[in-house]
Amino acid sequence: MEQNNGSSFTGFILLGFSERPQLELVLFVVLLIFYMFTLLGNTTIIALSHLDPLLQTPMYFFLSNLSFLDLCYTTSTVPQLLVHLRRADKSISFGGCVVQLFISLGLGSTECILLGVMALDRFAAVCRPLHYTVIMHSRLCVLMASASWFIGFANSSLQTVLIFLVPLCGRNKIDHFFCEIPPLLNLACVDTTIYESEIFFVSVIILFIPVTLITVSYGWIVRAIFRIKSSAGQRKAFGTCGSHLTVVSLFYGTAIYAYLQPSNNYSQDQGKFISLFYTIITPMVNPVIYTLRNKDVTGAMKKVLWRVLTPDDWVGKTL
């Protein structure tokens, strides 16, 4: 990367919310609480999907993958933000910035693809119920999840290399709370049109192909649901698919706003709060959205809590 006067480049300063010092303590408390709820909610989903045999299905396999993604995604940015909110030193090393961008972008890209894969799973469950277990067999589920991770991190590798090829000419103050593409591009001292076009093209592929897949899948799903004669069956199908659509709307809406708008329309303040939304709010509410009306998950939670609270009774029954 090109620098001024051949000086050594050691790292960046993440300005974060330093221009609003009165907000930093409030943000620290709120984000710490949100982060703890994110850890608790997503860990619970992962644990339940492994502990309860009734939840060892393709749907909950993908859901536990999504929860693991959310845990990692939040952890890649929020702990550092919490430290910076309570310290005057808001620096991050060059290598740390590269790693943070690579990991957070890889996890975000993987989630984009995984949400599309989950729509395919819902399509098979609702539109092909009699063949669901044959279509969505365990080997295919593992293959689809693995492909999501591979494509997500392949995209991250490409975009991370592209962004750090941009000459910064000694600029090192990032007006953001973590290393992300739009604020890093703002540091460039050259015309970034070519870089923006390349990143825009890749982002369109990563974002809109899964969105198209989700739209087509749910078109067939809605059609199939209205053919279900049982009102209880319709409610269950709408409840399960509605949860997925809510998560999709929250995640894709903020991601499209952050990555697919022209750079001259990009507001740093809006960008920071949008980034807060998809790095902490969405991962926190995802477990709530999936469990609030899901009787399988709430039933599994009650059974696990019963085992923990009455271990003697459980042991006696099993013997």
Side-chain angles (χ1 to χ4, degrees), residues 26-48:
V26 175
L27 276 173
F28 175 82
V29 174
V30 171
L31 292 177
L32 180 61
I33 293 171
F34 283 4
Y35 183 54
M36 298 308 293
F37 275 113
T38 301
L39 294 179
L40 177 63
N42 286 288
T43 303
T44 300
I45 293 289
I46 295 169
L48 288 176

Side-chain angles (χ1 to χ4, degrees), residues 60-309:
Y60 294 104
F61 169 77
F62 291 122
L63 181 55
S64 63
N65 262 268
L66 182 65
S67 292
F68 180 69
L69 269 171
D70 284 339
L71 275 177
C72 296
Y73 188 49
T74 303
T75 303
S76 70
T77 57
V78 174
Q80 175 193 263
L81 172 59
L82 292 172
V83 171
H84 283 182
L85 286 172
R86 303 307 301 148
R87 277 188 188 175
D89 180 15
K90 302 182 188 300
S91 62
I92 182 172
S93 68
F94 177 78
C97 189
V98 173
V99 170
Q100 186 178 64
L101 177 63
F102 172 72
I103 292 175
S104 60
L105 188 57
L107 293 168
S109 302
T110 302
E111 185 157 345
C112 285
I113 300 163
L114 190 64
L115 287 170
V117 168
M118 291 173 73
L120 284 178
D121 172 66
R122 293 298 80 209
F123 167 79
V126 175
C127 300
R128 301 287 187 271
L130 298 178
H131 302 94
Y132 176 59
T133 55
V134 176
I135 296 171
M136 299 301 296
H137 54 84
S138 58
R139 188 176 176 183
L140 179 62
C141 291
V142 171
L143 181 62
M144 292 170 77
S146 301
S148 301
W149 284 85
F150 177 79
I151 296 170
F153 276 91
N155 170 61
S156 177
S157 300
L158 173 63
Q159 298 215 44
T160 301
V161 169
L162 287 176
I163 197 68
F164 284 105
L165 286 175
V166 179
L168 303 184
C169 305
R171 300 181 184 183
N172 71 335
K173 291 185 178 179
I174 302 174
D175 192 10
H176 211 283
F177 63 87
F178 75 104
C179 294
E180 195 174 28
I181 286 178
L184 280 168
L185 275 179
N186 287 338
L187 299 183
C189 58
V190 296
D191 183 15
T192 59
T193 303
I194 294 176
Y195 296 99
E196 288 178 18
S197 299
E198 290 171 336
I199 290 167
F200 181 86
F201 176 73
V202 176
S203 298
V204 165
I205 294 173
I206 292 294
L207 286 168
F208 279 112
I209 288 181
V211 167
T212 303
L213 189 62
I214 291 166
T215 304
V216 172
S217 296
Y218 273 99
W220 286 100
I221 286 170
V222 169
R223 185 179 177 185
I225 287 175
F226 282 118
R227 290 179 177 176
I228 298 174
K229 295 180 180 179
S230 165
S231 58
Q234 286 184 343
R235 284 196 300 271
K236 183 176 181 181
F238 271 123
T240 302
C241 296
S243 299
H244 181 246
L245 276 178
T246 304
V247 171
V248 165
S249 301
L250 288 172
F251 183 81
Y252 281 103
T254 52
I256 288 171
Y257 176 89
Y259 282 89
L260 296 185
Q261 64 170 317
S263 60
N264 56 355
N265 291 340
Y266 186 83
S267 163
Q268 291 293 350
D269 287 339
Q270 287 181 348
K272 290 175 193 177
F273 286 100
I274 288 293
S275 297
L276 274 181
F277 195 89
Y278 63 73
T279 55
I280 186 67
I281 305 297
T282 303
M284 182 188 70
V285 300
N286 280 357
V288 178
I289 292 170
Y290 276 111
T291 60
L292 196 60
R293 297 174 60 188
N294 192 312
K295 294 181 180 179
D296 293 337
V297 175
T298 53
M301 196 178 300
K302 289 176 183 177
K303 283 193 288 184
V304 170
L305 288 174
W306 180 255
R307 294 181 201 177
V308 172
L309 295 175

